[in-house]
Amino acid sequence: MTTTEITYVGSPIDRVDGLEKVTGRARYASEHNPRDLTYAAPVQATIARGEVKGMDAGAALKVPGMIAVIWHGNAPRLAPSDAAELSVLQSPRVAYRGQYVAVAIAETLEAAREAAALLRVEYSEEAHDVELRADHPRLYRPDHVNPRLPADDVRGDPDAALASAPVVVDATYTTPAEHNNPMEPHATVAEWDGGGLTVHDSTQGPTALRGQLAPLFGMPPEQVRIISPHVGGGFGSKGLAHPHVVLAALAAKQVGRPVKLTVTRREMFAVTGYRTPTIQRVRLGAEEDGRLIAISHEACEQSSTIAEFAEQTTVATRMMYAAPHRRTTHRLVRLDVPTPSWMRAPGEAPGMFALESAMDELAVACGVDPVELRVRNEPATDPDTGLPFSSRNLVACLREGARRFGWDARDPRPGVRRRGGLLYGTGVASSTYPAYRSPSQASARAEPDGTFTVRIAAADLGTGARTVLTQIAADTLRAPAERVRVEIGDSALPQASIAGGSMGTASWGTAVVRACEALVRELERTGGVVPPGGAEASAATAEEVRGQEKYARHAFGAQFAEVAVDADTGETRVTRLLGVFAAGRIVNPKTARSQFVGGMTMGLSMALFEESVMDARFGDYLNNDLAQYHIAANADVRDIEAFWVEEDDPHLNPMGTKGIGEIGIVGTAAAVANAVHHATGIRVRDLPIRLDRLVR
Amino acid sequence: MRPFAYERPADVRSAVATLGAGTDAMYLGGGTNLVDLMRLGVAEPGTLVDVTRVTPAAIEETPDGGLLIGAGVRNGDLAAHPLVRRRYPVLAQAVLSGASGQIRNMATVGGNLLQRTRCSYFQDVTKPCNKRSPGSGCPARTGDHRNLAIFGHSESCVATHPSDMAVALAALGAVVHVEGPGGARTVPMPGLHRLPGEDPSRDTVLEPGDLITAVEVPALPLAARSRYRKARDRASFSFAVVSVAAVLELDGERRVRDCRIAFGAVAHVPWRAGSAEAALRGAPATVEEFARAADAEVRGARPLPLNAFKVPLAHNLLVRVLADLAETS
Ligand SMILES: Cc1cc2nc3c(=O)[nH]c(=O)nc-3n(C[C@H](O)[C@H](O)[C@H](O)COP(=O)(O)OP(=O)(O)OC[C@H]3O[C@@H](n4cnc5c(N)ncnc54)[C@H](O)[C@@H]3O)c2cc1C
Ligand code: SF4
């Protein structure tokens, strides 16, 4: 066995699949073209609630190259399931505008689309309700919020404490519905073969997708194979199975040929999830010096009538700051809307916009510097669980960020920095994200030629997962990284948790380390000689993860923004954005910086641009393309820097890592909104901060 | 997408003849708007007549010192042309502020003038829209019209024309050269685009089969001092929320000798600001006078519930652009 002095973990090595990607050799789901391939074009409901009464496929079936039209009237039956969203074409009910009601299959994509456009669907329409309101009569308290946390949590007597607090901030913040727009569209190529199903898909979790898909077709998971070697962005929208995957598999079963279904950008706005809009009331009660006495954070959010997706909007507020009295609640209303799902930092991103804006309002009300205010409210142990933090370096991030940003020279007065026609201001906000870990399995294999193969059904969404797992494996095997091949993105590999919750590296890395350690032990037994047939070992981490010590594990960060607001037009540009994060050990500074900067860019985009506009009369999101749904363009992203503080936390996992995929988007919008207030004196509590909120 | 035929005629006359003969044929420029609309099912031509090779792709000087811009000139080439930049900065800036580099390299001058509104109901064939489907109604009027008209809209349509280039051309008083089934003629700008009235299905005064062959920009020495300023939701690659094209000339006493002003994204047409121009001529070049002129124009605005902010925005933009132009005079 080869030994080497290099430690890869901590090195900014290039992506192991970089060359493959930039030369176009990396194949994504929809680039898979099996023999006899057919193409699917789904038909989406044009009513928000009601029933499909009939289908006139006459004209559609005459399109040359047309193979079949499938709707609930002729669709193969799926096994009964609680996952109503995935029971596609099983019932005539329409739960939201844009839901799949039929699919056209043809020899070419063009023919399928033309046929889909010619299908005449007859509906009986019912009155619908798609408007989230804080006074909606059907708001209710869900049993729990994601991921199985209590919906409400009350400590002390927040109402009494607020009533007697010397300083009180009471404000309502709103965030709009937002849609993930990964560059690679959601796409599925489904193929049946001898009773088994093979699916090339763009997914964040091959194992999880297999687990969702197999029971619908009444099969054991082993009979379904999900292949997804490369994913061009997901941000949560490829984390759970969405209806198009089932639709493709169902269609392939019906026509007896492979089916390709690529979700268009427009379709995506109804069927692949989105961030729920929120209405959040935050009340903070504090002493004159800014020390918190009470925090109340109450959120209203929506889900569809067919699935309860209860986002954890106020959960971060349970552990951010010390306060003897605290209330955090969630109220949900089930509307005739598409089903929301995960979008980068679900819960934390909108929730921390509200909390961190309110903290800025409190800083202004108390005349305390916003950095200092946060430092003053730093808890000694987790205010939620009472457990010690495995590590908590929020204060270090705030201080380091303030130093790098030049915060100390800041004049707190709003609206006084005018240069040319521009008003300048700066703002700060805290970031946080939990450090989760999930059970996973991995195998490691040594060949006589000195190479190694590590296998795990992980997913690389462009984050660099394949690269960091290679680094982790190479270090554990004490082998050069060039000799280590990591295979991921296939449900036939040892099962793994999804790329979500910022827990990929922690979860998969643990399994990879354990499998590689087992292999090293195996090779030690054979005296370092790899037998002619190779040597292999595997590991499963369920026990290790379940048995871990009790700590509150969270990553923290601080973000500083400078904005320039055009005094005449209200146009806001973020001229500087600087983040400092404490997220455990950084495995690869190059890919990590991309994650932080990417998250912050998406946060900037959330602050200034992103909003899915619902038309209540029709019940769908109107701005369903990239010309209308604005995400930050290059010209909006000027000067973004991400740094991290050293954090040596022994209570996490063998690598000492916390997740970094989501924390970058948490707090950014508040930092920008706080900077806008500093620039203009106008407090914008409703995202996005578009010019119409500022022009006077 | 409905299947269609593609034709590439040899010259202008045969292009016009093809369109005259076919019932559902359409001209194709760079295709950056039309092809999108075909994919959406909004446009369903049976035949596309590619005119990028028959309309001139050159920019020539006219004897009187103006420019004759071929309808086939790509937007990118127009903005980069040295004479355009020197004589009509407002035009170069307007074109450069639109779309993206890739789109400008494909888009033609003719196609830019005739691009359709970005109203989202118009682009969705599952919804009513008087412009796309006459008589079906206008959901924008009572729905999402944040970026639609504040001037000149009607009960039947509140859409805006989205072109930046057209705003500069309207300010400069350009003349559009048209070849139609009945022969050649010219149409002045403003005047090419029309207000929606009761028939929003027609964006312009052009008749079926009319082909734009060129746009003539008159000699206008004062246009050397001109500016385009576009307020938008993000720093690039987005349509105007409100834009203004302005040309300003002062005399020796710093009074306004002459001016040309047009607003974009406020009406179904590039909105030539006649009231503001009248108020400015002869007035001292001060911010107070500029504000008075802007008031005179926006007084005529009839904003809708969600776009009232466009009124102060148009006002402020105009004052700012005039002040900037005056400062450099
Ligand atoms: C994402 C995106 C962003 C954009 N942003 C902006 C922006 O910020 N500002 C802006 O101004 N524009 C913007 N555009 C629009 C762009 O400028 C237009 O799509 C383009 O100018 C159209 O030119 P074309 O040659 O591609 O026209 P085509 O799409 O080929 O044609 C458009 C129309 O004109 C007709 N036509 C074309 N040539 C002639 C002719 N010679 N005579 C008669 N009829 C003709 C066609 O039949 C069709 O009806 C954007 C477009 C996109 C897709
Ligand atoms: S504003 Fe005009 S284009 Fe928009 S929906 Fe109304 S009629 Fe159609």
Side-chain angles (χ1 to χ4, degrees), chain A residues 46 97 110 113-114 266 418 421-422 566-569 571 573 608-609 613 615 617-618 620 622-623 625-636 638 690-692 695-696, chain B residues 1-3 39-40 44 118-121 123-124 126-128 138-140 142-144 146 229-239 241 306 309-310 312-313 316-317 320:
Chain A
T46 56
R97 189 175 174 116
E110 290 75 10
R113 291 232 169 116
E114 175 62 8
R266 289 195 158 230
R418 188 171 178 138
L422 300 176
D566 189 299
D568 294 315
T569 65
E571 291 164 295
R573 307 289 178 236
L608 299 184
F609 313 117
V613 180
D615 186 313
R617 298 161 304 170
F618 297 102
D620 63 347
L622 290 175
N623 51 338
D625 62 41
L626 290 176
Q628 300 178 82
Y629 184 93
H630 281 162
I631 56 172
N634 281 335
D636 296 295
R638 301 200 177 168
R690 280 189 320 238
L691 54 82
D692 36 322
V695 69
R696 292 285 191 269
Chain B
M1 194 195 276
R2 179 180 164 198
R39 289 206 183 97
L40 295 172
E44 297 195 295
R118 307 306 291 200
C119 172
S120 60
Y121 304 96
Q123 297 180 71
D124 181 350
T126 69
K127 302 205 173 97
C138 173
T142 46
D144 182 36
R146 171 183 178 264
R229 172 74 165 85
K230 172 176 175 179
R232 48 180 146 184
D233 283 326
R234 65 178 167 190
S236 80
F237 208 2
S238 58
F239 288 92
V241 178
L306 299 180
F309 72 94
K310 282 192 173 189
L313 182 56
N316 296 356
L317 264 185
R320 165 78 79 85

Side-chain angles (χ1 to χ4, degrees), chain A residues 39-43 102-106 109 111-117 119 247 260-261 267:
Chain A
Y39 297 83
V43 178
V103 61
I105 317 293
L109 178 60
R113 291 232 169 116
E114 175 62 8
L119 274 181
L247 192 59
K260 179 186 289 191
L261 194 164
E267 240 170 275

Side-chain angles (χ1 to χ4, degrees), chain A residues 3 109 135 156 161 170 284 298 369 543 545 551 644 662:
Chain A
T3 55
L109 178 60
D135 62 352
D170 180 352
L284 302 177
E298 300 157 295
D369 176 78
E543 230 168 276
V545 170
Y551 278 102
W644 46 90
E662 286 160 283

